Amino acid sequence: MNTRITKSTMLVALLGLTSQLFAQDTPTTSGRFGKQSLRTWSVGAQGGIFSQNTFLGGQSLRAREFKSIGYGAFIKKQILPALGLQADFLRGEIKTANYAGQTTLATGLEQKNSINYAGSLTAVLNIANFSLNTENAVLIPYIKAGAGYMSSDSQVGNTEVFNEREGWYIPTGVGFKFGVSKGINIDLGYDINFIKSSPTVRNAYNGNRYSYSHVGLEFALGNKENSQLQNYSAVADLRKQSAEESAELRRSLSTAEQNAQRDREQYAKDLGDDDTDGVANKFDKCPGTPSGTVVDGSGCPLAAPKTQVIKETTVITEADRKVVRDAISNLEFDLGKSTIRSKSNATLNRVAALLMEKNFSLKLAGHTDNTGGRELNLRLSKERAESVKAYLVAQGANASRVEAVGYGPDQPISTNKTAAGRQENRRVEFTLY
């Protein structure tokens, strides 16, 4: 009855492990180990030689190793790069030339212990991962230990000692894995299995243990493009991520320089005057007008140019300067733009009338504080001066007598360390002459 319960328990456990294995159709992404997807399931097959003699010493038997063949298969789930759980199934025969456990039998009779099945669950600990990249480990030494259940027969010559005796055993082992590709490892191992069954079974095995030297192949399951988690190297992955981040930084710096060069070229294009009509390209709604054409503030030809009476005036009075001061004090723009607010129109209209009446020349100088980039401030100061010029010309002022320049943050009249100082530095200066 106990035997049936034990077999049923092992069958349910293997079925549960197998169902999880085939449910894992896609590779598992491990966020703890970089951004890549890594394969965590693998299967393998192995074959090797049994022996009742182990390196732990004890009574030595004349083993017939080349007649003691074992074979098996395993399913493995890798939990961490250094830790995996492995389910093994093993069969085979152990033959020796004499039988130490039965002193009544003649020496020289061949003893044969048949392992009908041996199933175990072991924890496999990777001691190190000798790898220069995350794609394929070169060498992985490991140790393992766990628990298992086995059934075996034993006979000496033609005499049966016992048949289908079952019991527990403790599998231990050491080995090396050699990575030959992303999904294939060669496995070389040496196991010692300690028998914890009845005294009759233990007496049939020299020192209550036997060894298994084996070689096998392990195949990873999942996407063939992904590496195995057990072959993962943290150092190699860090090197790979650092190289990617350096490349991304170089690309970002290159893109920033390209954008700056594009802005400089656009700035020169916008504030140029290709048709020499006195209106900057950005404000010129009629580009390409013939040389000498009289244009309005938007750069378009005037249908009926106004006839202006030019008066020779050489004296600038205090009243004239007050008109300019009023215009300066009331001049406002939209935030960060060159658009003049409507409240400034009345005083600008008086400046335009003054220019037409007395034939004055006017220099408009735009200035900013040092907030933001210098090139952006140069552009904004020039655009604001051009915007005032365009307005005055639209009101009838002679475009050839109005000069617009931008100095950006280069000529402050107050400190830029305070809000009040920066406010004073953001200005457009009017100079009559």
Side-chain angles (χ1 to χ4, degrees):
M1 183 66 179
N2 291 336
T3 300
R4 293 179 180 177
I5 294 174
T6 301
K7 288 182 177 179
S8 300
T9 302
M10 290 187 65
L11 179 60
V12 170
L14 289 174
L15 287 175
L17 184 61
T18 304
S19 64
Q20 289 215 14
L21 169 66
F22 290 101
Q24 192 75 13
D25 290 333
T26 58
T28 301
T29 302
S30 180
R32 296 165 292 176
F33 311 114
K35 300 178 181 179
Q36 55 185 322
S37 296
L38 300 170
R39 288 188 274 181
T40 60
W41 285 96
S42 61
V43 296
Q46 57 188 220
I49 296 175
F50 285 125
S51 176
Q52 293 212 54
N53 296 321
T54 69
F55 73 85
L56 297 179
Q59 183 180 4
S60 177
L61 300 178
R62 287 186 292 141
R64 293 179 173 173
E65 280 87 355
F66 293 103
K67 291 185 179 181
S68 303
I69 304 301
Y71 58 91
F74 64 85
I75 300 171
K76 185 179 180 184
K77 168 66 176 179
Q78 198 70 26
I79 302 173
L80 298 170
L83 178 63
L85 291 180
Q86 182 169 308
D88 289 278
F89 179 81
L90 190 63
R91 288 179 59 101
E93 293 183 344
I94 307 175
K95 296 182 179 181
T96 58
N98 63 316
Y99 181 50
Q102 295 286 343
T103 58
T104 59
L105 295 177
T107 301
L109 291 178
E110 182 180 77
Q111 176 195 1
K112 181 175 72 173
N113 293 337
S114 299
I115 299 176
N116 301 320
Y117 69 83
S120 65
L121 182 64
T122 59
V124 182
L125 179 65
N126 296 334
I127 300 175
N129 186 333
F130 298 96
S131 173
L132 297 179
N133 57 65
T134 57
E135 301 297 327
N136 180 40
V138 178
L139 176 63
I140 308 175
Y142 66 85
I143 58 175
K144 68 178 183 178
Y149 197 80
M150 63 181 289
S151 170
S152 64
D153 305 334
S154 181
Q155 66 181 48
V156 177
N158 294 323
T159 302
E160 181 181 278
V161 180
F162 57 81
N163 182 45
E164 294 189 0
R165 290 290 182 91
E166 298 178 344
W168 294 97
Y169 72 100
I170 299 175
T172 63
V174 296
F176 297 89
K177 289 187 179 180
F178 299 89
V180 295
S181 71
K182 278 188 178 180
I184 301 177
N185 295 323
I186 297 176
D187 185 9
L188 300 178
Y190 179 78
D191 299 344
I192 298 179
N193 299 309
F194 298 89
I195 299 173
K196 299 296 180 181
S197 187
S198 66
T200 302
V201 176
R202 293 200 303 271
N203 289 338
Y205 292 87
N206 185 27
N208 303 329
R209 57 184 179 261
Y210 66 93
S211 67
Y212 178 46
S213 304
H214 57 84
V215 60
L217 287 175
E218 180 182 22
F219 302 91
L221 303 178
N223 190 336
K224 295 181 179 180
E225 299 300 321
N226 296 333
S227 302
Q228 301 177 66
L229 177 57
Q230 69 174 335
N231 292 22
Y232 171 84
S233 170
V235 174
D237 192 42
L238 180 61
R239 289 174 55 246
K240 182 178 179 180
Q241 291 186 40
S242 297
E244 292 175 352
E245 290 172 358
S246 297
E248 179 62 28
L249 179 59
R250 287 193 295 270
R251 287 192 295 270
S252 299
L253 291 175
S254 176
T255 301
E257 178 57 31
Q258 291 174 2
N259 291 340
Q261 180 61 28
R262 181 196 61 199
D263 291 344
R264 287 192 291 267
E265 293 173 355
Q266 187 64 40
Y267 171 76
K269 181 179 178 181
D270 288 346
L271 299 184
D273 186 7
D274 294 341
D275 55 8
T276 65
D277 60 359
V279 179
N281 293 335
K282 182 172 183 178
F283 301 97
D284 196 341
K285 296 182 179 179
C286 299
T289 54
S291 178
T293 303
V294 179
V295 298
D296 59 16
S298 61
C300 294
L302 291 171
K306 296 181 179 179
T307 302
Q308 299 182 12
V309 177
I310 301 175
K311 298 181 180 180
E312 293 296 333
T313 303
T314 58
V315 178
I316 300 175
T317 67
E318 182 60 30
D320 299 332
R321 293 190 179 91
K322 185 177 184 305
V323 171
V324 172
R325 286 197 300 270
D326 291 343
I328 293 174
S329 62
N330 287 292
L331 183 59
E332 290 186 9
F333 297 90
D334 288 343
L335 183 63
K337 298 180 180 180
S338 60
T339 306
I340 301 172
R341 293 184 176 176
S342 59
K343 67 172 293 184
S344 305
N345 293 349
T347 54
L348 287 178
N349 290 342
R350 288 196 288 272
V351 172
L354 177 64
L355 295 178
M356 289 186 293
E357 177 185 354
K358 296 190 176 183
N359 200 30
F360 285 141
S361 294
L362 178 65
K363 180 179 179 180
L364 300 170
H367 301 271
T368 66
D369 58 25
N370 65 352
T371 304
R374 183 175 181 278
E375 290 186 1
L376 178 62
N377 285 327
L378 282 172
R379 182 192 304 177
L380 181 60
S381 64
K382 174 69 171 175
E383 289 180 354
R384 286 182 169 178
E386 288 282 359
S387 182
V388 174
K389 175 181 177 179
Y391 183 87
L392 295 175
V393 173
Q395 302 307 311
N398 189 343
S400 64
R401 287 187 172 272
V402 181
E403 177 186 7
V405 293
Y407 296 103
D410 295 343
Q411 298 181 6
I413 60 174
S414 184
T415 178
N416 280 307
K417 296 181 179 180
T418 64
R422 290 191 294 271
Q423 177 65 34
E424 293 181 21
N425 290 333
R426 295 192 294 269
R427 67 197 189 280
V428 176
E429 295 179 343
F430 291 54
T431 304
L432 286 174
Y433 60 95

